[in-house]
Amino acid sequence: MGVVHDRVMVEVLRGCTRGCRFCQAGVLYRPVREKKPETLARQVEEMINSTGHDEISLTSLSTADYTGVAPLVRNLLDIYGERGVNVSLPSLRLDAFSIDLAKEVQKVRKSGLTFAPEAGTQRLRDVINKNVTEQNLVDAVTSAFQNGWSSVKLYFMIGLPTETYEDLDGIADMAKKVVQIGYQSGVPRGRLKVTVSTSSFVPKSHTAFQWEPQDSLEQLKEKQKYLKEKLRDKRISYNWHDPGTSFLEAVFAKGDRRLGMVLEDAWARGARFDGWSEHFKFRLWLEAFEEQGLDPKWYAYRPIDYGEVLPWDHIEAGVSKKFLIREHKKAMGSLPTMDCRSGQCPGCGLCPTMEMKPDILGGAEIAPIPGEV
Ligand code: SF4
């Protein structure tokens, strides 16, 4: 029987400096710290020898950002390629450099490539601080198609703060543009496949969007229906996440300790393996909320004031609330924030508080702003 994660997993770096405003991991794992190449070489060797796996996966929040990623991949392929061991990169950036990397690791079997523009318009990408442009997408997919890939998956979120139907049109336009680029790049008609996948935005604690409400179930269903219509094209397939699961995620992501009773109650009613759609029984959860006298909508749909004490305020993640408020205000004005790899510290407050600093191999020394906490 095949099992998941049946491969050697080495974490090449921890943290991510890109600052996407919806991302909780990007806050919790700061500052960015890259592992030394010799440490990685030793760990891979030990794991390959003691497990017999035939794949090495280079993991992190953004592996293409690892300073020496290209020589690392080449070295691993040189050493382990002849032993029949593959290298895989679970996350790619939207640029031609990432395609070059993917080319190295997928020389023979060109499985699909996944890109995450996250939002359909530049305006909304600026709101979430996803600093990629349409031109980046065009360059990346052109390079992918020209290098032999015929299947591309695009990942977006719907229900993001300030989203309008124009942003949804942007998703459909992007998908159609990718189809056109595929044809222009010579991908045979029958082989070209573009998959659009949308998940629903879940506001998370410790992020700039922790004060934001989630779209209602009705709004999310309406948006999914709209996109289904817009993406009606035999070369494009459209997948979406169940909005009921996303609703529960929002409730628990922004919830308080009273939800412990709901969890136990839902479990006692038989809720199991809820992440699998065939096992997800939304009704059981609604019954559990009712039994415990709690309204899940109050958790998921309520905009929160900056001044309100939040249920997770006592959990010190290092990043200051002042910074998150500033980020939230910048989001509302579609203003981007620099990546701390650029050498300029946007002042999230973590480094002075935790007495740490980013550790980027051979990279620019970043001087965290003192007194920004
Ligand atoms: S304090 Fe500055 S350098 Fe340190 S993680 Fe925050 S933004 Fe990056």
Side-chain angles (χ1 to χ4, degrees):
M1 185 177 82
V3 294
V4 286
H5 300 310
D6 186 12
R7 61 186 78 100
V8 160
M9 310 259 270
V10 273
E11 188 186 28
V12 294
L13 66 102
R14 188 161 299 177
C16 173
T17 48
R18 298 197 164 247
C20 297
R21 293 182 176 124
F22 53 82
C23 180
Q24 190 186 49
V27 172
L28 299 187
Y29 295 106
R30 285 179 187 221
V32 70
R33 284 149 290 157
E34 295 187 345
K35 229 181 241 177
K36 291 189 186 68
E38 52 273 27
T39 310
L40 289 169
R42 180 175 42 81
Q43 291 178 337
V44 169
E45 179 71 15
E46 281 169 9
M47 282 193 266
I48 288 286
N49 289 343
S50 56
T51 62
H53 284 308
D54 58 6
E55 185 177 336
I56 303 159
S57 178
L58 303 177
T59 69
S60 77
L61 294 173
S62 180
T63 299
D65 283 338
Y66 180 71
T67 301
V69 67
L72 173 69
V73 166
R74 244 170 264 133
N75 280 346
L76 292 176
L77 287 169
D78 282 350
I79 300 169
Y80 299 101
E82 52 197 43
R83 290 205 227 162
V85 178
N86 285 325
V87 175
S88 67
L89 300 162
S91 59
L92 284 180
R93 281 190 321 229
L94 254 174
D95 55 23
F97 172 72
S98 289
I99 304 300
D100 285 344
L101 273 182
K103 242 162 60 187
E104 295 268 352
V105 301
Q106 292 193 15
K107 270 194 183 112
V108 191
R109 184 173 40 90
K110 293 226 182 326
S111 54
L113 283 183
T114 303
F115 298 109
E118 310 283 6
T121 59
Q122 195 58 50
R123 183 202 67 80
L124 193 52
R125 285 194 294 275
D126 288 342
V127 168
I128 60 176
N129 204 39
K130 183 88 191 180
N131 293 320
V132 294
T133 61
E134 182 156 332
Q135 193 55 46
N136 295 142
L137 175 77
V138 169
D139 292 346
V141 293
T142 306
S143 171
F145 288 138
Q146 285 172 352
N147 281 292
W149 275 275
S150 52
S151 161
V152 164
K153 192 168 173 186
L154 302 173
Y155 177 86
F156 297 92
M157 257 187 263
I158 57 167
L160 284 162
T162 79
E163 183 186 65
T164 67
Y165 275 75
E166 250 174 58
D167 300 304
L168 301 183
D169 291 342
I171 295 178
D173 293 345
M174 256 190 179
K176 286 176 187 158
K177 194 164 203 170
V178 172
V179 169
Q180 286 316 319
I181 295 172
Y183 286 149
Q184 284 158 11
S185 309
V187 179
R189 293 215 157 233
R191 280 182 49 210
L192 180 65
K193 190 168 171 233
V194 177
T195 305
V196 172
S197 194
T198 63
S199 66
S200 305
F201 164 68
V202 175
K204 304 252 169 72
S205 69
H206 299 97
T207 67
F209 290 154
Q210 63 184 357
W211 297 280
E212 286 288 326
Q214 188 179 47
D215 267 2
S216 69
L217 279 174
E218 293 68 33
Q219 284 170 313
L220 290 173
K221 282 181 190 160
E222 205 43 58
K223 288 180 179 179
Q224 289 172 342
K225 206 170 124 207
Y226 182 80
L227 273 176
K228 224 178 346 180
E229 277 303 313
K230 282 257 156 187
L231 292 168
R232 207 177 276 279
D233 182 319
K234 60 179 185 314
R235 298 149 306 179
I236 302 176
S237 23
Y238 175 44
N239 306 322
W240 60 92
H241 282 206
D242 180 286
T245 327
S246 307
F247 171 64
L248 282 185
E249 281 174 28
V251 173
F252 284 100
K254 296 212 298 168
D256 54 34
R257 62 191 67 186
R258 290 176 295 174
L259 293 178
M261 298 183 306
V262 177
L263 271 178
E264 192 183 4
D265 192 318
W267 171 80
R269 285 167 199 273
R272 302 281 190 283
F273 301 116
D274 303 85
W276 294 349
S277 52
E278 68 272 34
H279 288 286
F280 178 54
K281 297 189 191 80
F282 193 38
R283 182 182 45 82
L284 294 183
W285 287 95
L286 296 180
E287 286 169 11
F289 278 108
E290 193 164 348
E291 179 68 25
Q292 299 302 326
L294 294 170
D295 178 9
K297 291 181 182 163
W298 183 83
Y299 290 102
Y301 299 160
R302 191 174 60 100
I304 303 176
D305 286 340
Y306 293 144
E308 193 172 312
V309 177
L310 302 169
W312 52 90
D313 271 352
H314 61 291
I315 300 169
E316 177 64 90
V319 172
S320 72
K321 207 171 189 178
K322 208 167 126 191
F323 172 77
L324 295 180
I325 292 174
R326 203 161 68 219
E327 279 297 288
H328 184 254
K329 288 183 178 161
K330 280 171 88 176
M332 296 303 116
S334 305
L335 295 171
T337 293
M338 295 289 280
D339 183 327
C340 48
R341 260 176 205 271
S342 66
Q344 289 171 16
C345 161
C348 79
L350 181 131
C351 294
T353 315
M354 301 279 187
E355 295 179 6
M356 295 177 82
K357 61 180 180 164
D359 190 359
I360 300 167
L361 299 170
E365 182 76 2
I366 304 165
I369 302 173
E372 273 289 328
V373 184

